[in-house]
Structure formats: structure tokens, C-alpha cells
Amino acid sequence: MNMMDFNVKKFAADAGTFLSRAVQFTEEKLGQAEKTELDAHLENLLSKAECTKIWTEKIMKQTEVLLQPNPNARIEEFVYEKLDRKAPSRVNNPELLGQYMIDAGTEFGPGTAYGNALIKCGETQKRIGTADRELIQTAALNFLTPLRNFIEGDYKTIAKERKLLQNKRLDLDAAKTRLKKAKAAETRASSEQELRITQSEFDRQAEITRLLLEGISSTHAHHLRCLNDFVEAQMTYYAQCYQYMLDLQKQLGSFPSSYQSNNNQTSVVPVPSASSNVIGSSAMTSSGLVMTSPSNLIDLKEGSGSRKARVLYDYDAANSSELSLLADEVITVFSVVGMDSDWLMGERGNQKGRVPITYLELLN
């Protein structure tokens, strides 16, 4: 027998088997043929595997949405993954916002309260962006990848063996049908032999499928460990973000209150107060708003003497003409003719330089 004859016979046999299965399947649907039922334990295992697959896909997809809300970015990452190439790194939203804040603060002037606050907020946003990247990387490695491996690996194998079991079951029931229809002794003997073979193949395939399905319990245990890793990654991320914002709140809380808005977003109207000792100091109005008085500043600007001042919060000098400050230190300040109204000359030992008035509190 040459190879061509062998292929023709194999094709004819496969076509006959396919036709037999199709007829059996159709008759079962029409209620014209009996169907061999799987045992209850195997049916439960099949149901558990299907349930695991459905929920794993849903959890996996929604986790991807949580970590990357941009659908276009998810599609791009998917394409690069299928091409086995690394997706180009992109700036995430907190990092982009942080950079905008830093650029704006730099343009407004680091020496101004608003500019300095923008820079500090921007730096915090960029730290949050970095933490966001770390969360995505950790979650992808320790949580999403194992779930995807199950869907694309283990479950595909289960589905393949389940399909084989279905075919073997159709072959078995088709053989039973033919045996029932057999009249001649020779035909009946042949049908009985076919039935024994198909029964053996069905039993063997059922055992293989059962062994694979019983591994679902191990899959659940593995996914539980992965879930713990994901929760730990989220806990680390939120703890980092909380600490970053707590530090930022402390820094912003040390700014003069006249630069902070109240909950009702009401505009602040300056109310002079001769009794205030704080440069850019605050007084409370009957409505609860914090107001600013410049009276001490005017006295210092018009006089020729110097005063002691307490530094309200840290300040990093932008250039050599300025003096860096540390919160709570006491320095000497005095006015210089022609200097901008928002600045004074500060002196600490042999160090001297311009200092922003909003960072100071005059002492008696």
C-alpha cells in the first residue's frame, strides 16, 4: 500500500467517524437516541472547572482595567505582548500631573508660596506615579500572569480532553445504537466488538479527564497565594501613597494660612491688624475666614533697623543671592532699598541672602 492509498483510507475512516458522531448528536437532540450520562463526580468536576474559568477571566480582565484604565493603552500592551516585544515606557497620569505642577511652580517662582506649594505637590504626584508603576509591575507578575497561564494553559488542556471525552461518548452511544439495530449474527458480533472497544476508549478518556479536573483544587490554592500577593502589593501601594500625602499635608500645613482656601471657596479680603507680629500674619474674622495684615512689614520696610524673625517652614534657595531656610530657626532680617516688596534680606552668622517674607514670623 502506497502513502496515497493510506491517506485516502484514513480520510474515509475519519469522515465516517465524523458522520457517525453527527448523526448520534442530532438524534440525541431530537430525543431519538439514548445518551450515556457521566457520573456525578465527573460532572461536578467539569462544572467546577467551567466556573473557575469564567470567574478567572472576569477577575483578570477587571484587574487589567483597574491597573490600566486607558483601553487604548491596554490594546497596545496586548499587541506588544503577542509580538513578544516590550511595550514602550510611557508617563502615567500622576507623573504627568506632577511634571505640570513642577513646571508651573518653577515659572511662578519657587520663592512664592503658591509656586513652592505647586513644586512640592508635583514632586509628591511623581512619587505616587512611581508607586503606581511598581504596583502594576508587581500585580502583573504575581497575580495576572498566573491567572493568564491557567486560562491559556491548564484550562485549554482541560477543554481539549473534555472535547475528546465528548467524542468518545458519541462513539460509544453510536456503537450501542448500531448493536441494537443489528439483526444478523455476524453483524451483531461485529457490533459487540465495536462496543467493547468504544467503551474501553471512553473509560480511559474519562479517567484522563477526571485526573486533570481534580487539579482544579490545586489551581485554587495557587490562585489564593497569588491573591495574597496582590493584596500585599495594594497594601504597600496605598501605604506609600498615604505616607506621601501625609508628608505633603504637613509641608502645606506650614504655609501661611492666607494662602489656603476654606471649604466654601470664599475669597479672602485683607484686614489690617496693628497688633499682629507675623509678616503676612493672619487674623480671624467673624465669618471664620483667615485674613492677612502687612502692618509690621510696612514698619520694617520704612525703618532702617533689623529684627529677629522665626522661620515658618523650610525654603531652598533658588540661586546664590538667596538664603536657604530651615523651619523654626531664628534669623536676622532687614530691608534693603530697592528690594522687591515680597523679599527681605536675611542674615545667619556670616551667611546673608534674600528671603521670602511669607516664610517668616517677626519676633518682638
Side-chain angles (χ1 to χ4, degrees), residues 8-126:
V8 170
K9 288 187 176 182
K10 185 176 185 302
F11 175 79
D14 291 342
T17 301
F18 176 80
L19 181 60
S20 174
R21 291 170 180 170
V23 170
Q24 178 66 27
F25 182 80
T26 303
E27 290 181 348
E28 287 176 0
K29 290 297 182 182
L30 296 174
Q32 298 175 356
E34 295 181 1
K35 175 183 176 181
T36 299
E37 299 295 339
L38 302 177
D39 66 79
H41 177 61
L42 188 55
E43 286 285 8
N44 288 335
L45 290 176
L46 287 169
S47 177
K48 184 177 181 181
E50 182 66 20
C51 183
T52 301
K53 179 251 187 183
I54 291 172
W55 284 111
T56 299
E57 284 182 331
K58 289 183 177 181
I59 292 171
M60 184 175 69
K61 289 178 180 178
Q62 193 55 40
T63 303
E64 290 173 345
V65 172
L66 173 69
L67 298 176
Q68 177 51 269
N70 187 336
N72 293 329
R74 291 201 303 273
I75 292 173
E76 182 182 355
E77 290 171 358
F78 175 78
V79 171
Y80 274 99
E81 181 181 344
K82 290 303 179 183
L83 295 175
D84 199 21
R85 293 174 57 188
K86 185 178 180 181
S89 178
R90 65 166 60 85
V91 177
N92 58 31
N93 290 330
E95 290 174 331
L96 186 59
L97 174 61
Q99 190 58 54
Y100 285 164
M101 286 182 168
I102 291 173
D103 292 344
T106 302
E107 181 139 353
F108 295 151
T112 66
Y114 183 43
N116 187 269
L118 276 172
I119 291 174
K120 291 184 181 299
C121 287
E123 291 171 347
T124 299
Q125 289 296 331
K126 294 187 82 169

Side-chain angles (χ1 to χ4, degrees), residues 54-308:
I54 291 172
W55 284 111
T56 299
E57 284 182 331
K58 289 183 177 181
I59 292 171
M60 184 175 69
K61 289 178 180 178
Q62 193 55 40
T63 303
E64 290 173 345
V65 172
L66 173 69
L67 298 176
Q68 177 51 269
N70 187 336
N72 293 329
R74 291 201 303 273
I75 292 173
E76 182 182 355
E77 290 171 358
F78 175 78
V79 171
Y80 274 99
E81 181 181 344
K82 290 303 179 183
L83 295 175
D84 199 21
R85 293 174 57 188
K86 185 178 180 181
S89 178
R90 65 166 60 85
V91 177
N92 58 31
N93 290 330
E95 290 174 331
L96 186 59
L97 174 61
Q99 190 58 54
Y100 285 164
M101 286 182 168
I102 291 173
D103 292 344
T106 302
E107 181 139 353
F108 295 151
T112 66
Y114 183 43
N116 187 269
L118 276 172
I119 291 174
K120 291 184 181 299
C121 287
E123 291 171 347
T124 299
Q125 289 296 331
K126 294 187 82 169
R127 292 191 188 100
I128 291 175
T130 300
D132 196 53
R133 285 183 186 279
E134 293 173 354
L135 171 63
I136 291 174
Q137 292 173 356
T138 303
L141 180 64
N142 297 336
F143 187 59
L144 286 177
T145 298
L147 297 187
R148 188 175 292 110
N149 287 342
F150 167 73
I151 295 297
E152 297 179 355
D154 294 350
Y155 189 80
K156 278 190 175 181
T157 302
I158 290 174
K160 177 183 175 182
E161 297 301 328
R162 181 178 183 175
K163 180 64 176 177
L164 285 174
L165 178 62
Q166 170 73 352
N167 289 337
K168 297 300 181 183
R169 201 270 308 160
L170 288 171
D171 291 342
L172 173 61
D173 288 335
K176 289 180 179 179
T177 300
R178 282 191 290 272
L179 179 60
K180 285 182 179 180
K181 294 179 179 180
K183 301 298 182 182
E186 183 178 343
T187 304
R188 190 169 184 81
S190 174
S191 296
E192 289 175 349
Q193 176 67 15
E194 180 188 14
L195 179 60
R196 285 193 294 271
I197 293 173
T198 54
Q199 182 70 61
S200 175
E201 290 179 348
F202 171 77
D203 292 341
R204 179 175 176 276
Q205 186 59 40
E207 181 64 16
I208 293 173
T209 306
R210 183 186 63 79
L211 290 173
L212 282 173
L213 291 170
E214 287 177 345
I216 290 294
S217 296
S218 299
T219 298
H220 283 195
H222 178 52
H223 287 182
L224 174 59
R225 291 192 295 270
C226 296
L227 181 62
N228 286 331
D229 290 340
F230 179 55
V231 170
E232 185 175 343
Q234 282 189 304
M235 183 182 67
T236 301
Y237 168 73
Y238 289 118
Q240 285 178 321
C241 292
Y242 174 76
Q243 188 60 50
Y244 293 153
M245 298 310 295
L246 195 64
D247 294 341
L248 177 62
Q249 185 184 46
K250 290 179 181 178
Q251 294 178 58
L252 295 181
S254 66
F255 284 11
S257 55
S258 60
Y259 290 94
Q260 302 174 23
S261 64
N262 70 326
N263 291 335
N264 296 324
Q265 300 295 312
T266 309
S267 59
V268 177
V269 180
V271 178
S273 173
S275 63
S276 175
N277 280 338
V278 181
I279 299 177
S281 62
S282 59
M284 191 67 69
T285 69
S286 59
S287 63
L289 297 177
V290 180
M291 307 303 178
T292 301
S293 171
S295 60
N296 286 47
L297 170 61
I298 296 173
D299 294 342
L300 185 58
K301 285 285 186 180
E302 292 179 349
S304 58
S306 62
R307 293 278 297 275
K308 292 292 185 182

